[in-house]
Amino acid sequence: MRIVVTTTGTAEDAERLADGMVGERLAACVQIVGPVRSVYRWDGEIQHEQEWQCWIKTAADRVDALTEWIKGNHPYDVPEVVTLPVLDGNADYLSWVTTETRPG
């Protein structure tokens, strides 16, 4: 299992992305957290923005397809896509994630 994190500029964008990822079986679950404050450099300027984080639960073998889907459906020019490994957990939950991310 992997956790993939991305951010969006609005709660509505986060929900739209979450619905699409779960609907396409690229994610078993997406938790939307926010707002959070992000500080970053873009186009040579330091930016201070309010964003929403999406914590996406997926199977390891679905990360590449999920990344491409995010890049194609995200409103940002360069969306954050960071993948974190899950080292251990409730076996029943991990099995559920795998089952829910199988193409239907």
Side-chain angles (χ1 to χ4, degrees):
M1 182 180 147
R2 300 291 186 267
I3 296 175
V4 177
V5 180
T6 193
T7 55
T8 65
T10 68
E12 293 79 17
D13 281 340
E15 287 197 29
R16 179 183 58 77
L17 291 171
D19 285 347
M21 290 181 280
V22 173
E24 294 290 324
R25 292 190 167 273
L26 295 167
C29 172
V30 179
Q31 293 172 314
I32 300 168
V33 180
V36 297
R37 295 288 298 159
S38 295
V39 180
Y40 57 93
R41 186 179 309 276
W42 187 256
D43 290 335
E45 302 281 330
I46 294 176
Q47 307 292 321
H48 296 259
E49 300 293 339
Q50 180 172 277
E51 293 186 297
W52 280 257
Q53 287 183 324
C54 296
W55 287 72
I56 305 155
K57 307 334 181 315
T58 193
D61 65 346
R62 299 293 277 156
V63 170
D64 290 343
L66 173 63
T67 299
E68 289 306 310
W69 190 93
I70 291 170
K71 289 168 57 177
N73 290 279
H74 201 289
Y76 288 1
D77 292 338
V78 181
E80 172 187 12
V81 180
V82 177
T83 303
L84 307 170
V86 174
L87 303 178
D88 202 3
N90 175 352
D92 294 334
Y93 181 80
L94 301 177
S95 177
W96 173 79
V97 169
T98 299
T99 299
E100 289 303 311
T101 56
R102 298 302 94 194

